[in-house]
Amino acid sequence: MKNSISEKSVQHGLERKNNGNLQTMWIELPGICNLACAYCYACGGDRLCSDNLLSWQQYKSILVQARALGVDSIGIPGAGEPLLGTNRQLALSIIRKCSELGIFVTLFTTGEFIDERIADELYRLPVEVMLKGNTLDPEKQDRFVSDPSRNREIRGYGEKRNVAIDLLMRKGFNDHGKCMKAFGRKSRMALVTSIMTGGHGELNNLDDVVGVLRYCREHNIIFDCDSLLERGRGANCELCASDRELKSKLLELQEIDDVEYGNVWGLSQSYVGTVCDRYMHHLYVTQYGEVRPCIGAMDMMLGDLHETTLQEAWESAEMRIIRARKYSGKCGDECGNFEDGTCNSCLGRRVSGLTNENLLAKGSVDTVGCWNFRDKT
């Protein structure tokens, strides 16, 4: 028996119904990080402008505002490592507050700092843990989080991450029955990666990602896989796969998932196995209180939460255009995948010049198309 997309486990914040309300949000912690990933969209570990960081009181206010607007899912992305140093207490405080408010949390983490105590607390709270999973090979994983161009060589991380995977499984984060009973989730842990390959092939995870898929399917772990976001250090990263390489690997993953596990899904520019639908229900808040449409639309400012509210950002003219799916160009005007909703034209990957000025002047999101284009005629 084949499984449809909706029957598989994906991030809690995806696969939403369009009810016009803000339903999901990602909120950054300070960008401190001990790793040196050359592909980091947020330049994690770089020098912070500490003067304007959100305070704990502001985080609490944002969470209360979010819940009042209808948010039931908060993501803490890897702009900085949530469980490192001073971020640890802040991350746990946010998750505890979300628990009080009835909000489920998607926590992105390297996994390196998860110990027995943290694992036990996270297990009791409404949270799914998204672990960095570029490869299951610990030594190769170290290479993916190192950056020789900045003289940053990381050793021993891959082994610690693998220990965290085993610990979370032992605690029951991938136990289908327990996850369903506690929070209505098929799994509460994921391995997260992008499909990556260098221009000369010195470092890539083209084969590794197949192993990660199989490992996830066989252990009831969410397989969270996409293409690199060319933002931050990722904008100049040599690990961005070409369109040809990306399509070839996605077709391979699609066939394996179908033949070996009975999971059927279509290709898209977003996640493997599902389509990103955040355009209609989501906002992204930076560590400085800036509100953006999503992780890929960092050149557009919807408000500053030091001065405005989440509701004002959600009701902004720019967000109304995005939510109404007013897209023009190759995707919006010509692509059958966009027309039938099997793709939503990623704001971070397939859009040109997405700024406040351009969007308001044109009245639509200008799109450029992709390798998965299908003529709607």
Side-chain angles (χ1 to χ4, degrees):
M1 177 149 181
K2 302 294 185 181
N3 300 315
S4 68
I5 288 175
S6 62
E7 291 171 326
K8 296 194 292 82
S9 183
V10 296
Q11 284 185 39
H12 182 264
L14 294 173
E15 298 188 355
R16 295 302 178 110
K17 293 182 179 179
N18 190 352
N19 61 14
N21 296 329
L22 179 64
Q23 301 172 55
T24 70
M25 190 172 75
W26 282 16
I27 186 166
E28 291 181 349
L29 303 188
I32 60 173
C33 189
N34 60 309
L35 301 183
C37 304
Y39 52 86
C40 181
Y41 81 97
C43 298
D46 287 2
R47 187 180 182 88
L48 291 176
C49 177
S50 57
D51 294 342
N52 211 33
L53 290 171
L54 292 170
S55 67
W56 166 233
Q57 291 301 321
Q58 288 170 316
Y59 276 107
K60 285 197 294 184
S61 174
I62 292 167
L63 295 175
V64 171
Q65 289 181 57
R67 191 68 188 100
L69 290 172
V71 171
D72 64 5
S73 179
I74 293 284
I76 301 178
E81 168 50 41
L83 300 178
L84 173 64
T86 55
N87 274 356
R88 177 183 299 185
Q89 188 56 47
L90 178 58
L92 292 174
S93 295
I94 288 174
I95 297 170
R96 292 166 189 152
K97 185 63 178 180
C98 285
S99 179
E100 294 176 13
L101 294 170
I103 299 174
F104 196 85
V105 178
T106 299
L107 178 69
F108 291 84
T109 174
T110 67
E112 179 175 358
F113 304 103
I114 298 177
D115 56 21
E116 292 273 350
R117 182 184 65 80
I118 291 178
D120 285 337
E121 178 162 13
L122 292 178
Y123 187 75
R124 292 191 295 269
L125 293 167
V127 60
E128 59 188 0
V129 183
M130 316 292 280
L131 296 165
K132 183 181 292 291
N134 308 133
T135 172
L136 295 170
D137 181 330
E139 293 183 1
K140 193 172 183 180
Q141 181 62 77
D142 286 351
R143 293 178 64 196
F144 274 111
V145 298
S146 298
D147 189 353
S149 70
R150 295 189 294 145
N151 296 315
R152 294 290 308 281
E153 183 177 359
I154 307 298
R155 295 182 179 178
Y157 161 68
E159 291 184 1
K160 294 175 183 176
R161 190 281 318 274
N162 285 358
V163 169
I165 293 173
D166 291 339
L167 174 59
L168 292 176
M169 288 197 293
R170 180 161 52 83
K171 295 294 182 180
F173 280 83
N174 67 328
D175 187 305
H176 182 278
K178 292 180 179 178
C179 291
M180 288 296 294
K181 182 178 180 180
F183 297 108
R185 300 289 291 144
K186 296 177 183 179
S187 178
R188 294 175 55 202
M189 64 182 292
L191 292 181
V192 182
T193 188
S194 295
I195 296 170
M196 296 184 284
T197 176
H200 302 290
E202 293 93 346
L203 180 63
N204 72 74
N205 69 345
L206 296 181
D207 292 331
D208 304 76
V209 75
V210 173
V212 174
L213 169 68
R214 287 190 169 114
Y215 187 87
C216 287
R217 296 301 187 236
E218 291 164 10
H219 292 84
N220 191 38
I221 295 172
I222 301 167
F223 179 62
D224 194 87
C225 179
D226 59 13
S227 60
L228 276 182
L229 189 62
E230 296 185 36
R231 297 276 178 178
R233 289 198 291 269
N236 300 303
C237 178
E238 295 182 355
L239 291 169
C240 294
S242 68
D243 286 352
R244 178 186 57 79
E245 291 168 321
L246 187 59
K247 182 176 182 179
S248 175
K249 186 52 57 175
L250 287 173
L251 286 169
E252 181 183 357
L253 294 173
Q254 183 186 53
E255 181 178 12
I256 290 171
D257 217 5
D258 180 1
V259 173
E260 298 183 20
Y261 304 103
N263 294 320
V264 178
W265 43 267
L267 299 185
S268 81
Q269 268 288 293
S270 53
Y271 300 102
V272 164
T274 192
V275 177
C276 182
D277 53 18
R278 291 192 176 96
Y279 76 92
M280 67 183 181
H281 59 74
H282 179 81
L283 289 176
Y284 187 102
V285 179
T286 74
Q287 58 200 291
Y288 304 110
E290 302 157 341
V291 186
R292 316 290 188 179
C294 71
I295 192 173
M298 292 299 185
D299 295 327
M300 176 166 290
M301 180 77 136
L302 301 175
D304 182 341
L305 294 180
H306 290 95
E307 303 171 354
T308 59
T309 66
L310 271 179
Q311 183 169 6
E312 289 172 327
W314 181 244
E315 296 298 341
S316 64
E318 294 91 338
M319 201 61 215
R320 287 199 301 271
I321 293 172
I322 292 171
R323 280 160 37 202
R325 213 163 176 260
K326 295 180 179 179
Y327 286 38
S328 56
K330 194 71 174 179
C331 304
D333 294 330
E334 303 176 35
C335 186
N337 295 323
F338 184 85
E339 184 177 50
D340 64 22
T342 55
C343 180
N344 291 311
S345 191
C346 176
L347 294 179
R349 294 176 174 87
R350 298 299 166 180
V351 167
S352 174
L354 187 61
T355 64
N356 297 69
E357 295 75 17
N358 291 347
L359 183 64
L360 293 175
K362 190 165 186 177
S364 64
V365 176
D366 191 22
T367 61
V368 298
C370 77
W371 51 265
N372 200 35
F373 175 80
R374 175 172 61 85
D375 197 315
K376 66 180 181 181
T377 60

